[in-house]
Amino acid sequence: MNKMLKCGLSMLAIGALVVSCADYNDLGGYSVPSDPSYTRPYGDLDVVKSYINRGEYPNMTIDAAVVLKDFNEQAAGNAVSHAAAITNFNGLSFGYSFMPAKYVSKKGYMNFMDLKSALDYMETIDATVYGSPIVANDQQSDEWFGALTAPIEVQVLPINDKEVDYSTMETFTGTATRGKPVIVKNYDANGNALKIPTRSKVNIVEDVPLDPQGYYTITFTVKTEINKDENIICTFADNKIMSGKDPRKYTIRPGVWQTVKVEAAPAEGATDGYLMIEGNLNAVLYVRNVKVSHTPDNHREQTKQEKNDTIRYALDTWCDGLMEANAGRIKSFDLIDKPLDAKAEIEAGILDLKHSTDKIFWQDYLEDATHTGSDLYGALASKAARAAFEKHGGNPAELKLFICETGLDDQKRFESLKYWMNKWEANGAILDGINAELNLTYSEDATTQAANEAALNELLDNLASTGKLVRLSNFDIKYQDATGAAVSPIAITADQRQKLADYYAFVIKNYMNKIPHDKQAGICKTNMVDTSTDPVGLWKKDKKTGDWVRTATYKAFCDALSGK
């Protein structure tokens, strides 16, 4: 690696260690060299972003997607990627780094330290950040949603379930799995009693109606005739009453009637309500009055309207917290991430939004008296985001909100996205653009590649026809040979690498030519360097040194952005 670069990157890493947590992104005044591989192939080229003709393409940007954790840490192992990102690209996308799943606790507490730190640093180097989706179906705070929509605690009264009076019974008709209990007539002046022999297991009450969520109280009067204490064990509805790891022992004092109180919930899945007593190793037991009551679960499910109100509160709260941390600095966001379902339709040719029966999806809980939640989804999200952005210091005229969707080269998906955007705008949304997530492949098969290029051109024409700002993301192109097999970074030849680079240039040029200049919101490169499986990078890693080495794709980017 170039000596100057190594020195600079060492300073970068050291700076991350010596500064405080609040400013750990500070570069300490160090200016990163123009590129981490400028002494290698294509070393005569400048940084990528410098090739954009601002006079002709004033809105064009080239961004890079980076991992927030790596970016913030600036550890020695990640310094090259950090340098490449901030020197070659106009801005950064941190992907899904700012989603509620990462920042919102079960109780709704929000911690945006990573976001604030990254934005503080980006301000110092005059770079921009493209905002993570504000709302989505994935990476939401499911625990927070669960807590917000949990059943509501209400006041309840005990319910009397059953009473058995053995003082008036002539015959025992219950269940005994051990021993032979009998009714003793005229046991004393108060009437009969149930006699339970030693070492028995007897249900003294049965057929109690069970509430799986209820909590039961069972009382019974009992007496022994020996001169020492006896202990018994109780089981209610398959739930043996425990004291720590051992069964709880209820002590029966000798010679007097006493009332035993058992409190328990039914075992999970229990269907028979009963109280069984056992464990009387030394004494015969006499039982009289048995009473069972329970307190129902003191919670009720929220009504649909209550859940709707709660999720609207959550939307406003999330947007407020996010925009407070942002403080007007991120000016372009994905408002909604990939809302379309894969198959379900609301009418012929128009895909429905995604819905869920086991998770909270925003669009399932935002309805009002005249609109479905799906109809209001984009409108309410737009309203909440824009209000919070302005509240916390943002200039509302600068805020741009995009809808991100994938697979828009499919005409049905494209038309469906237009349908929903029009629906949301009719209900009050202000939507500025479309962020089209790409899924591109270069094929050595001429017919397949011609179809790939035609599909791309149709996508760009369709996007241009909307009159919206157009952003392309996930700009990685995989390479396939003529049989459709993937070609790895290790196996790719120089000739193949050039063909791949030419296709990158083809995409960039067609975007810049087909999308009106004032509607160009830029392109975001997902992987700057080759991955372990695909040669997608502007750089590749040197196998011996680990240095980043420019590829033909680097030059293709520079040429295409300059209009060559």
Side-chain angles (χ1 to χ4, degrees):
M1 184 183 288
N2 176 275
K3 182 177 180 182
M4 177 182 175
L5 176 64
K6 281 188 174 179
C7 177
L9 293 180
S10 296
M11 292 174 63
L12 198 73
I14 293 170
L17 297 176
V18 300
V19 298
S20 69
C21 290
D23 56 1
Y24 62 85
N25 279 313
D26 186 7
L27 287 179
Y30 172 68
S31 178
V32 183
S34 61
D35 180 73
S37 58
Y38 60 90
T39 60
R40 298 300 186 96
Y42 310 107
D44 58 322
L45 297 175
D46 205 343
V47 296
V48 172
K49 64 185 177 184
S50 67
Y51 287 90
I52 301 173
N53 183 341
R54 290 292 169 204
E56 190 172 357
Y57 304 100
N59 296 320
M60 180 64 188
T61 63
I62 189 75
D63 294 346
V66 297
V67 177
L68 176 63
K69 185 171 183 269
D70 293 348
F71 181 81
N72 270 347
E73 285 179 351
Q74 296 183 359
N78 297 319
V80 175
S81 62
H82 178 273
I86 64 177
T87 56
N88 283 277
F89 297 90
N90 300 109
L92 302 180
S93 168
F94 294 120
Y96 293 95
S97 297
F98 307 139
M99 298 298 289
K102 299 179 185 294
Y103 289 94
V104 185
S105 72
K106 181 177 181 179
K107 294 185 177 180
Y109 299 128
M110 300 181 188
N111 182 350
F112 290 103
M113 187 185 77
D114 285 350
L115 171 60
K116 291 179 180 178
S117 296
L119 293 181
D120 289 346
Y121 170 55
M122 294 297 280
E123 279 189 306
T124 67
I125 60 173
D126 195 28
T128 61
V129 173
Y130 187 84
S132 296
I134 295 175
V135 291
N137 298 316
D138 297 324
Q139 300 197 47
Q140 294 303 311
S141 181
D142 293 332
E143 285 192 340
W144 183 40
F145 281 171
L148 287 174
T149 58
I152 297 172
E153 187 171 316
V154 294
Q155 185 177 9
V156 295
L157 297 175
I159 297 173
N160 293 323
D161 294 298
K162 191 163 187 177
E163 183 173 351
V164 178
D165 184 3
Y166 287 109
S167 68
T168 61
M169 293 182 64
E170 297 289 328
T171 305
F172 176 70
T173 59
T175 301
T177 55
R178 183 188 299 154
K180 295 182 178 180
V182 296
I183 299 295
V184 177
K185 296 182 180 180
N186 300 317
Y187 175 73
D188 59 18
N190 293 316
N192 302 342
L194 174 63
K195 178 182 178 181
I196 300 176
T198 58
R199 301 179 182 273
S200 295
K201 295 175 72 172
V202 178
N203 293 358
I204 62 172
V205 63
E206 295 179 322
D207 300 324
V208 177
L210 285 185
D211 176 355
Q213 303 301 320
Y215 194 72
Y216 285 75
T217 300
I218 307 97
T219 61
F220 57 95
T221 53
V222 62
K223 178 183 177 182
T224 68
E225 293 181 342
I226 63 172
N227 293 323
K228 63 178 182 179
D229 290 349
E230 178 63 290
N231 293 315
I232 62 172
I233 296 169
C234 297
T235 298
F236 175 72
D238 301 342
N239 180 17
K240 180 171 285 189
I241 314 306
M242 305 295 287
S243 178
K245 296 181 179 180
D246 300 316
R248 178 178 173 180
K249 295 180 179 179
Y250 293 84
T251 300
I252 311 300
R253 300 186 304 274
V256 295
W257 287 101
Q258 69 181 79
T259 299
V260 175
K261 183 179 182 181
V262 178
E263 295 179 309
E268 185 175 355
T271 57
D272 296 328
Y274 64 90
L275 182 74
M276 181 183 73
I277 61 176
E278 60 180 313
N280 56 324
L281 302 179
N282 304 300
V284 173
L285 304 177
Y286 294 89
V287 175
R288 269 213 174 116
N289 297 315
V290 185
K291 295 181 180 180
V292 184
S293 64
H294 80 278
T295 302
D297 178 25
N298 63 335
H299 296 83
R300 67 161 177 82
E301 291 293 326
Q302 293 189 36
T303 66
K304 187 62 183 292
Q305 185 59 53
E306 287 170 334
K307 288 184 177 181
N308 289 349
D309 293 343
T310 297
I311 295 304
R312 287 202 186 195
Y313 158 82
L315 178 60
D316 291 341
T317 301
W318 162 246
C319 288
D320 189 73
L322 175 65
M323 293 305 181
E324 181 180 16
N326 178 44
R329 292 176 288 189
I330 300 176
K331 296 175 172 61
S332 294
F333 286 87
D334 280 342
L335 175 67
I336 299 175
D337 181 60
K338 295 189 276 292
L340 295 178
D341 192 84
K343 296 181 179 179
E345 296 183 348
I346 58 168
E347 58 184 65
I350 300 298
L351 293 170
D352 196 359
L353 302 186
K354 297 172 184 173
H355 299 282
S356 177
T357 57
D358 58 350
K359 287 189 175 184
I360 300 291
F361 281 7
W362 300 100
Q363 58 269 30
D364 293 333
Y365 293 91
L366 295 175
E367 66 190 51
D368 65 15
T370 56
H371 301 88
T372 67
S374 295
D375 291 347
L376 294 178
Y377 184 25
L380 293 176
S382 168
K383 179 181 178 181
R386 290 184 180 279
F389 181 81
E390 184 174 4
K391 174 184 175 182
H392 294 291
N395 180 351
E398 295 179 334
L399 179 61
K400 306 299 179 187
L401 297 179
F402 291 72
I403 306 298
C404 178
E405 191 52 81
T406 189
L408 293 179
D409 52 332
D410 179 272
Q411 191 68 26
K412 181 177 180 179
R413 293 189 68 79
F414 174 73
E415 294 298 334
S416 298
L417 181 63
K418 282 204 309 180
Y419 170 89
W420 285 109
M421 290 181 68
N422 290 337
K423 175 78 71 174
W424 294 334
E425 287 178 324
N427 289 326
I430 301 175
L431 304 175
D432 302 285
I434 296 172
N435 180 13
E437 186 177 279
L438 303 175
N439 183 23
L440 300 178
T441 300
Y442 175 83
S443 175
E444 289 183 348
D445 179 79
T447 302
T448 301
Q449 183 56 23
N452 290 342
E453 294 176 7
L456 173 72
N457 283 329
E458 183 178 7
L459 168 64
L460 294 174
D461 288 338
N462 281 339
L463 291 171
S465 72
T466 65
K468 300 287 187 184
L469 295 173
V470 175
R471 182 177 190 264
L472 303 182
S473 59
N474 195 39
F475 187 35
D476 280 0
I477 304 178
K478 298 179 180 180
Y479 194 101
Q480 291 181 350
D481 65 20
T483 69
V487 177
S488 71
I490 295 176
I492 195 168
T493 66
D495 181 61
Q496 289 173 323
R497 179 77 78 166
Q498 187 60 57
K499 291 177 181 178
L500 180 61
D502 291 343
Y503 192 37
Y504 270 108
F506 175 87
V507 176
I508 295 171
K509 289 178 181 179
N510 281 20
Y511 170 83
M512 295 174 72
N513 291 331
K514 287 180 174 292
I515 304 301
H517 296 185
D518 63 338
K519 300 300 180 182
Q520 294 176 6
I523 299 174
C524 183
K525 186 74 178 74
T526 302
N527 287 289
M528 295 183 290
V529 68
D530 286 353
T531 68
S532 60
T533 57
D534 294 294
V536 294
L538 283 74
W539 293 267
K540 62 182 179 180
K541 283 187 179 181
D542 185 280
K543 289 185 289 186
K544 293 182 179 179
T545 66
D547 292 352
W548 283 27
V549 181
R550 290 175 180 176
T551 70
T553 298
Y554 188 102
K555 183 176 187 302
F557 266 67
C558 296
D559 289 346
L561 290 170
S562 65
K564 292 182 181 179

